[in-house]
């Protein structure tokens, strides 16, 4: 059993059964992983934009946009104002925070509906929203890894994708930014799999179901999202 919310945050990474056994009756504790996830991701981008070569960053962003839109780099460059590091940092932090909040809201809706259909339980939307923040704790570890990458960077020419060293693209495929599968392969990383594994343990503990069923419930949204994404790219 986790004695306090900080210990629960550590336990959810190393002993998730103990953590979820405790936090299902400690609703207010979910504010701790929420703040840890938001703060640590923000720290990454504060650090990143403090060292990145902002002109190089803008050129890299425009090259990726050119590959996705079909417009030329020169056209985009002429139409784009100069990027200022502080503004880019704030926009990125706000965008990532909103994305995390919205994605967890959608995940909570999924858990609420999926578990009501498959397993009799009394957990509310608020309970499942708290659940999603506990499952996001690997994001804190991912942020620490990103900070280490930035610390050892040789210069300021480092992309946002470079600070995610555990993506499938970084580990296995190494395709270029212009490749059709680049964004897809960058989006899947080892920390995603860790989040799914933690969620499956949490579902098993909260719902008292078999491991196989918990894994299916935790994995299904990712299978649908990435499956449709892969199909779109392939077609």
């Amino acid at each position: 059993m986790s004695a306090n919310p900080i210990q629960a945050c550590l336990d959810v990474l190393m002993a998730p059964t103990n953590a979820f056994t405790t936090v299902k009756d400690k609703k207010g504790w979910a504010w701790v992983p929420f703040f840890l996830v938001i703060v640590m991701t923000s720290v990454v981008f504060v650090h990143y934009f403090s060292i990145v070569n902002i002109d190089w960053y803008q050129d890299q962003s425009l090259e990726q946009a050119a590959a996705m839109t079909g417009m030329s780099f020169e056209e985009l460059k002429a139409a784009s104002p100069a990027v200022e590091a502080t503004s880019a940092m704030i926009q990125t932090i706000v965008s990532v925070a909103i994305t995390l909040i919205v994605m967890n809201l959608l995940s909570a809706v999924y858990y609420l509906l999926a578990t009501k259909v498959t397993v009799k339980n009394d957990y509310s939307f608020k309970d499942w929203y708290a659940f999603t923040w506990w499952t996001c704790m690997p994001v804190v570890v991912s942020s620490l890894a990103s900070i280490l990458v930035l610390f050892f960077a040789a210069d300021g020419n480092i992309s946002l994708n470079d600070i995610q060293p555990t993506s499938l693209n970084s580990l296995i495929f190494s395709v270029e930014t212009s490749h059709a599968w680049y964004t897809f392969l960058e989006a899947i990383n080892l920390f995603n799999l860790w989040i799914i594994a933690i969620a499956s343990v949490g579902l098993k503990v909260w719902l008292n179901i078999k491991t196989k069923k918990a894994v299916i419930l935790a994995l299904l949204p990712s299978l649908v999202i990435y499956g449709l994404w892969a199909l779109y790219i392939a077609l």
Side-chain angles (χ1 to χ4, degrees):
M1 299 286 284
S2 304
N4 55 65
I6 297 299
Q7 184 180 338
C9 289
L10 296 174
D11 285 346
V12 82
L13 297 171
M14 298 178 289
T17 298
N18 292 341
F20 283 107
T21 299
T22 301
V23 301
K24 68 178 179 180
D25 297 318
K26 302 288 185 179
K27 305 300 190 297
W29 285 12
W31 284 105
V32 177
F34 170 83
F35 282 117
L36 282 175
V37 170
I38 297 298
V39 168
M40 287 305 299
T41 53
S42 299
V43 168
V44 170
F45 295 117
V46 170
H47 190 185
Y48 175 79
F49 284 102
S50 71
I51 67 172
V52 72
N53 180 333
I54 197 65
D55 294 328
W56 179 90
Y57 167 84
Q58 183 175 23
D59 287 346
Q60 290 293 302
S61 299
L62 292 176
E63 286 179 4
Q64 290 186 30
M68 295 174 62
T69 63
M71 296 178 66
S72 70
F73 171 82
E74 290 73 19
E75 290 174 328
L76 291 171
K77 182 78 171 179
S80 302
V83 174
E84 201 272 324
T86 302
S87 297
M89 176 192 71
I90 293 172
Q91 290 173 7
T92 303
I93 289 173
V94 171
S95 175
V96 170
I98 291 174
T99 299
L100 284 168
I101 290 169
V102 171
M103 290 302 296
N104 279 1
L105 283 169
L106 294 175
S107 295
V109 171
Y110 163 75
Y111 287 129
L112 178 67
L113 298 178
T115 58
K116 289 295 184 185
V117 172
T118 58
V119 185
K120 185 177 180 180
N121 70 89
D122 296 320
Y123 293 112
S124 66
F125 171 81
K126 186 178 179 181
D127 295 328
W128 288 117
Y129 191 54
F131 178 90
T132 64
W133 288 104
W134 290 109
T135 65
C136 277
M137 277 303 296
V139 173
V140 175
V141 183
S142 175
S143 297
L144 291 173
S146 297
I147 291 170
L148 284 176
V149 171
L150 290 170
F151 182 77
F152 290 106
D155 54 39
N157 294 349
I158 181 169
S159 72
L160 287 172
N161 290 324
D162 290 334
I163 63 176
Q164 297 294 332
T166 65
S167 70
L168 284 185
N169 193 47
S170 297
L171 293 174
I172 302 173
F173 296 97
S174 299
V175 302
E176 298 296 327
T177 56
S178 58
H179 197 282
W181 290 90
Y182 175 79
T183 304
F184 179 87
L185 295 172
E186 283 290 340
I188 304 175
N189 62 64
L190 296 183
F191 291 101
N192 296 147
L193 301 179
W194 194 0
I195 288 171
I196 292 170
I198 288 174
S200 66
V201 174
L203 289 166
K204 180 180 178 180
V205 171
W206 278 28
L207 301 173
N208 193 28
I209 57 178
K210 292 183 178 180
T211 300
K212 181 179 179 180
K213 190 171 186 177
V215 170
I216 292 172
L217 283 172
L219 188 58
L220 187 59
S222 295
L223 286 178
V224 172
I225 292 169
Y226 287 106
L228 291 174
W229 190 357
L231 184 62
Y232 173 79
I233 296 171
L235 296 177

